[in-house]
């Protein structure tokens, strides 16, 4: 069964800290892995990763994929209180259904 | 403004009372889907639609129906809601089934079934 597992499930840090969120997956015929940020509303897209070793970067956020070890990490440097959210990892269903298979999410709280 | 809208945003109802959650997108997207989000389980797909009049089951379709009579609308119907359908529901759309990186999510509908 295809599945996505995120760790940790929750994390509390202080402003300025750097955090690393983990996402491991088991899926046949991998196509892509996506990261989303969810702040008490709809998930908003952060990154899509399809190739190993190529870092995607947007401001203080970056992400990389390891297709050999079947995981991805999301890094956030110099965290701010506005980074507090649930971060979701998902992989694209290989059956061409458009379905995203989500992990449980990591709840990040950044304290001032 | 490009968006996916859902109504209602919040709903408290009782077991067995039929309800419909509407979803509409203004981007001329072919692909639409419904997810439910539950604590500890992430988002799980309920139904999806590749195009008008084409719908199919996702991972958790039991107790739900959908229809796609027009491209822009994809309502979710609960014929006889039960408490285990208490959840946060998201509608999503994208231009094509393969456009997963540009999948727009609606604002969510929080449903409580008593």
């Amino acid at each position: 069964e295809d599945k996505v597992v995120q760790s940790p499930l929750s994390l509390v840090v202080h402003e300025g800290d750097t955090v690393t969120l983990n996402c491991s997956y088991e899926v046949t015929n991998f196509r892509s892995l996506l990261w989303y940020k969810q702040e008490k509303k709809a998930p908003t897209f952060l990154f899509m990763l399809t190739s190993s070793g190529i870092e995607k970067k947007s401001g203080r956020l970056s992400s990389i994929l390891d297709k050999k070890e079947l995981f991805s990490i999301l890094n956030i440097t110099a965290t701010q209180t506005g980074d507090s959210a649930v971060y979701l990892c998902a992989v694209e269903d290989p059956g061409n259904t458009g379905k995203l298979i989500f992990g449980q999410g990591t709840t990040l709280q950044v304290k001032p | 403004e490009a968006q996916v809208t859902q109504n209602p945003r919040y709903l408290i109802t009782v077991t067995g009372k039929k309800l419909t959650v509407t979803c509409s997108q203004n981007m001329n997207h072919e692909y639409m889907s419904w997810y439910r989000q539950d604590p500890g389980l992430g988002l799980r797909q309920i139904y999806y639609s590749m195009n008008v009049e084409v719908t199919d089951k996702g991972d958790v379709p039991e107790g739900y129906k959908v229809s796609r009579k027009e491209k822009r609308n994809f309502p979710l119907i609960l014929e006889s809601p039960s408490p285990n359908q208490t959840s946060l529901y998201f509608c999503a759309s994208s231009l094509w089934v393969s456009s997963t990186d540009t999948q727009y999510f609606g604002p969510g509908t929080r449903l409580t079934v008593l």
Side-chain angles (χ1 to χ4, degrees):
Chain A
E1 180 185 341
D2 300 329
K3 66 178 181 180
V4 177
V5 177
Q6 293 184 243
S7 64
L9 294 182
S10 65
L11 191 55
V12 181
V13 301
H14 287 92
E15 276 191 314
D17 289 349
T18 293
V19 298
T20 298
L21 309 183
N22 303 294
C23 175
S24 64
Y25 62 90
E26 293 178 25
V27 62
T28 53
N29 300 321
F30 175 86
R31 297 172 74 143
S32 66
L33 183 145
L34 300 94
W35 283 97
Y36 290 85
K37 179 181 182 183
Q38 186 179 24
E39 299 171 271
K40 296 192 185 300
K41 50 186 180 179
T44 53
F45 172 77
L46 294 174
F47 301 111
M48 183 171 85
L49 303 155
T50 56
S51 302
S52 274
I54 299 175
E55 185 182 55
K56 292 281 184 85
K57 195 170 173 64
S58 176
R60 297 176 293 102
L61 277 67
S62 64
S63 184
I64 198 161
L65 175 68
D66 185 328
K67 290 169 73 173
K68 181 180 177 185
E69 300 297 330
L70 308 182
F71 77 90
S72 174
I73 60 172
L74 176 68
N75 277 322
I76 309 174
T77 59
T79 52
Q80 303 171 356
T81 54
D83 294 326
S84 296
V86 176
Y87 290 85
L88 299 166
C89 173
V91 296
E92 186 181 348
D93 175 45
N96 198 35
T97 64
K99 178 176 68 177
L100 295 173
I101 303 166
F102 282 88
Q104 321 96 301
T106 294
T107 300
L108 173 65
Q109 182 183 358
V110 181
K111 292 187 172 181
Chain B
E1 180 190 353
Q3 59 182 351
V4 178
T5 56
Q6 294 178 227
N7 283 293
R9 296 288 314 280
Y10 302 91
L11 179 62
I12 300 174
T13 189
V14 295
T15 299
K17 186 176 181 182
K18 180 180 179 180
L19 66 93
T20 299
V21 183
T22 65
C23 172
S24 183
Q25 49 90 6
N26 62 0
M27 296 166 280
N28 204 35
H29 284 173
E30 301 284 343
Y31 182 85
M32 298 184 75
S33 66
W34 277 101
Y35 289 87
R36 61 178 287 173
Q37 185 174 26
D38 302 291
L41 296 176
L43 282 81
R44 295 175 292 166
Q45 192 183 60
I46 304 170
Y47 269 95
Y48 66 94
S49 171
M50 300 265 200
N51 208 332
V52 176
E53 302 293 359
V54 180
T55 64
D56 208 344
K57 297 176 181 178
D59 290 329
V60 288
E62 295 78 19
Y64 305 95
K65 286 174 59 177
V66 293
S67 69
R68 188 91 182 275
K69 294 185 173 62
E70 313 163 273
K71 184 183 280 191
R72 65 183 293 126
N73 296 322
F74 190 44
L76 180 70
I77 304 156
L78 285 73
E79 294 270 2
S80 183
S82 62
N84 65 12
Q85 292 179 297
T86 292
S87 188
L88 179 59
Y89 292 86
F90 289 104
C91 180
S93 75
S94 60
L95 186 58
W96 309 111
V97 63
S98 57
S99 309
T100 47
D101 60 333
T102 50
Q103 190 157 156
Y104 289 75
F105 284 86
T109 294
R110 186 166 292 282
L111 172 65
T112 301
V113 183
L114 302 175

